[in-house]
Each structure stands twice: as structure tokens, then as C-alpha cells.
Amino acid sequence: MGQVLHGSATTTEAIRRAIQNSQESLRALARRYGINQKTVAKWKKRTSVADLPTGPRELKSTLLSLEEEAIIVAFRRHTLLPLDDCLYALQPTIPHLTRSSLHRCLQRHGISRLPEVEGDKPGKKKFKRYPIGYFHIDIAEVRTAEGKLHLFVAIDRTSKFAYAELHEKAGKMAAAQFLRNLVAAVPYAIHTVLTDNGIQFTNRKQDRHAFEHIFDRVCCDNGIEHRLTKVKHPWTNGQVERMNRTIKEATVKRFHYDDHAQLRQHLQDFIDAYNFGRRLKTLKGLTPYEHICKCWTKERERFRLDPIHQMPGLNT
């Protein structure tokens, strides 16, 4: 097997071994092998003929302090979150933390790879890419001490912008009004909505000769294509199903609400925090609002108004 030497090496292992075993002077050996006397002296002092590893002998970060590295290591071992999720969670505490410095820190401590989960992993399928304005819509039930409510949720397939409302009834009129409110709330044009085959969104098979469904009329009035999921295939609308679960885990599954008003206020606060503050891996670390602003700079023809006008707080 051939020797692996660094690019600037002037000696081989055989020459180095001969230098170490020779009794000749440094000048004589340097003349014989055509090298500098300092090189001869260096190999005379060493007991090995292998190149020393390059770089610092003690691995440490030039960007992170020991305390910050300890925080990162403890957080990773406790949460077992992926690299990007760790980055987004730690940056508020360590503002100068970058993705590369985080990765190098995890490598130094031997925790850059998460443990493999037992069992066969199903292959991940990527969603087909669509321009901004493709919304998934669904309905879920939630409860407060006052009674039952129907949660209408919509999420953009591309920007992940979410919109939600609570209604006491889940009829087709409520669904149609929800779509009108969604169109008014979004700063860009909606070109497609995907729903299930519930009576709130479409006529039943036995009613196929009835008048056009009001949800379809609202779609037509706003130039929106209405698509339906395949019957008994709820995973087709999986994005909004997952958003339903996220909302429930942040609200009704965690807190008790004495009345509907408390839940409505908390739901609105959560949706605002999600749209304007939650950084998503699928958006490469951007929030839904930041992604919308990015699209605004590239595809202004799709927008009805400048999204900066919908930013909460003062515009300065």
C-alpha cells in the first residue's frame, strides 16, 4: 500500500527512518538527501516516521465559549432534535450561533448523528411544487366548558401560512363564509383549495343534480379551483390534518377554557405567533410571513397588496 504524505513533504518514510538511524552530521545528511538541515534535525528528534496531524492539538471553537458549548451539548442530548430544529431553538439564547458552528460543535462531542430508530422507515415522498396560493382546508371539533365548537383551518401548501376560525355550526354556509374570510385575510391570490368530500364543501353523490354548492360558487367568484380528496384517503389532505393536531396540542389539549371567548383569543394569538414567529425547516429557517415577503419580491403579480401592511405592530 502506498504512503500517504502531505502535499509539501520533501521526504519519504524510508528517508526519515534512515535519518533517525544514521550517525552522520546534519550537514552531511542534508546534502545527501537534498533537504534543509532543519528538516533533518526535526526527524532526528522524532521517534515516528509518520506525519503529525494538522490543525490545533486541542479541538475547541473560535466562536463559542465553553459555557455555550455545554448548553448546546446538554440541549441536544436532552431533546434529540435534528440539527435545524436545535439551531432555531438555540439562536435566541446564542444569537451568533450558525448552522456550521453548531454542526462542528456536535461533531467534536460525538453527537452529530442521532440514534437510529428501530424498524423500517417508509420512504419520504416530496410534495409536488406549486406556486404560492394553494390552500388545504379542513374542519375539526374542539371543546370548552361552554360546549362544542367547530374549528375551520386552512394552510398554504407552499408558504405554510395558516388561518383558522371557530364556528358554532359546521354547515355549508359557515364553510363558504370561512373561504370568503380567508380570501380577504391573505395578501396574495388563492388559485386552488383542497378539501375532503364533506357536505360543507361539496354535494353528495345522490345530490349531483342539485344546484351548485355555495362553497363552489364562492370559489368560482374568486377564480379558485376547488379540488377534492379521494374518498377514504384522508392523508391526501395531510398538511391541514397535521396543522389541526398542532393547534389542538397548543390549545385545548394543554389548557382549560371557561368559555368560547377565551379559546378564540388564545387561538388567534397562537396563529399570529405561528405565522410571524415560528421558523420552519421546510422554509429553510424562515417564518411563513418571511417566506411570503420573499415571494413578494419575486412574484408581485400574484399579490393583491404589499404583505408588509399585514405585519403586526408598528411599521417603522
Side-chain angles (χ1 to χ4, degrees):
M1 186 174 179
Q3 301 173 18
V4 179
L5 303 174
H6 66 79
S8 300
T10 58
T11 58
T12 64
E13 290 185 2
I15 295 174
R16 298 168 186 174
R17 193 173 293 108
I19 291 173
Q20 292 173 351
N21 296 329
S22 175
Q23 298 299 320
E24 294 183 75
S25 66
L26 300 182
R27 179 181 299 178
L29 290 172
R31 188 182 300 114
R32 175 181 297 179
Y33 297 113
I35 56 178
N36 192 287
Q37 290 187 34
K38 292 182 180 179
T39 304
V40 178
K42 177 183 71 175
W43 287 111
K44 276 279 190 182
K45 293 178 181 178
R46 293 189 185 177
T47 57
S48 171
V49 295
D51 289 320
L52 293 179
T54 58
R57 295 183 180 180
E58 183 182 350
L59 296 178
K60 62 179 181 179
S61 174
T62 58
L63 185 68
L64 303 171
S65 65
L66 295 177
E67 293 78 9
E68 290 168 340
E69 288 211 20
I71 292 172
I72 292 171
V73 172
F75 182 84
R76 172 74 160 198
R77 286 175 174 163
H78 180 72
T79 63
L80 294 179
L81 287 174
L83 178 68
D84 291 295
D85 291 341
C86 286
L87 176 66
Y88 306 150
L90 290 168
Q91 275 185 330
T93 305
I94 311 174
H96 55 275
L97 181 66
T98 63
R99 194 177 190 275
S100 58
S101 61
L102 173 61
H103 178 60
R104 289 194 297 270
C105 175
L106 298 179
Q107 279 187 321
R108 281 194 297 276
H109 294 275
I111 52 175
S112 61
R113 295 184 67 88
L114 291 173
E116 292 290 337
V117 179
E118 294 183 1
D120 296 332
K121 291 183 179 179
K124 291 184 179 180
K125 295 183 179 179
K126 291 186 177 181
F127 278 109
K128 182 181 177 181
R129 289 187 174 274
Y130 284 92
I132 193 170
Y134 188 127
F135 273 86
H136 296 246
I137 298 178
D138 194 28
I139 306 173
E141 287 187 3
V142 293
R143 287 185 175 274
T144 68
E146 195 174 339
K148 181 174 69 174
L149 285 173
H150 298 277
L151 174 66
F152 285 75
V153 179
I155 184 168
D156 191 301
R157 186 183 191 126
T158 302
S159 71
K160 309 305 177 187
F161 181 86
Y163 181 78
E165 288 182 358
L166 290 168
H167 292 265
E168 295 185 1
K169 295 183 179 180
K172 59 184 180 181
M173 300 302 293
Q177 187 58 46
F178 173 75
L179 181 57
R180 294 190 190 99
N181 296 342
L182 173 64
V183 171
V186 176
Y188 48 87
I190 301 174
H191 57 81
T192 307
V193 295
L194 177 67
T195 68
D196 58 25
N197 294 267
I199 58 174
Q200 301 91 347
F201 305 116
T202 187
N203 290 325
R204 299 173 298 177
K205 281 188 176 181
Q206 56 266 41
D207 299 331
R208 59 183 180 274
H209 299 300
F211 292 107
E212 183 182 21
H213 197 282
I214 187 170
F215 191 87
D216 287 323
R217 290 207 301 271
V218 176
C219 288
C220 185
D221 293 342
N222 292 278
I224 300 172
E225 178 187 356
H226 182 198
R227 297 185 183 180
L228 299 172
T229 61
K230 189 182 293 186
V231 178
K232 297 182 180 180
H233 285 64
W235 54 88
T236 311
N237 215 10
Q239 285 213 24
V240 71
E241 297 279 358
R242 183 63 182 88
M243 190 62 197
N244 284 343
R245 194 174 88 187
T246 299
I247 292 174
K248 287 182 178 180
E249 288 174 349
T251 55
V252 293
K253 289 185 177 181
R254 182 170 296 185
F255 302 100
H256 171 78
Y257 300 95
D258 294 325
D259 52 44
H260 295 342
Q262 286 184 352
L263 177 56
R264 282 193 171 93
Q265 182 59 50
H266 191 191
L267 174 64
Q268 188 58 52
D269 292 342
F270 173 78
I271 293 296
D272 288 342
Y274 173 87
N275 287 329
F276 296 96
R278 186 163 184 174
R279 302 171 67 183
L280 302 177
K281 181 178 179 180
T282 187
L283 301 180
K284 297 182 179 179
L286 299 177
T287 65
Y289 173 75
E290 289 171 342
H291 183 79
I292 290 173
C293 292
K294 183 179 178 181
C295 292
W296 159 257
T297 62
K298 297 180 180 179
E299 304 174 278
R300 295 200 175 190
E301 67 279 1
R302 296 187 177 276
F303 285 75
R304 297 182 293 103
L305 51 88
D306 186 343
I308 194 67
H309 296 161
Q310 294 186 320
M311 184 176 181
L314 297 175
N315 294 326
T316 56

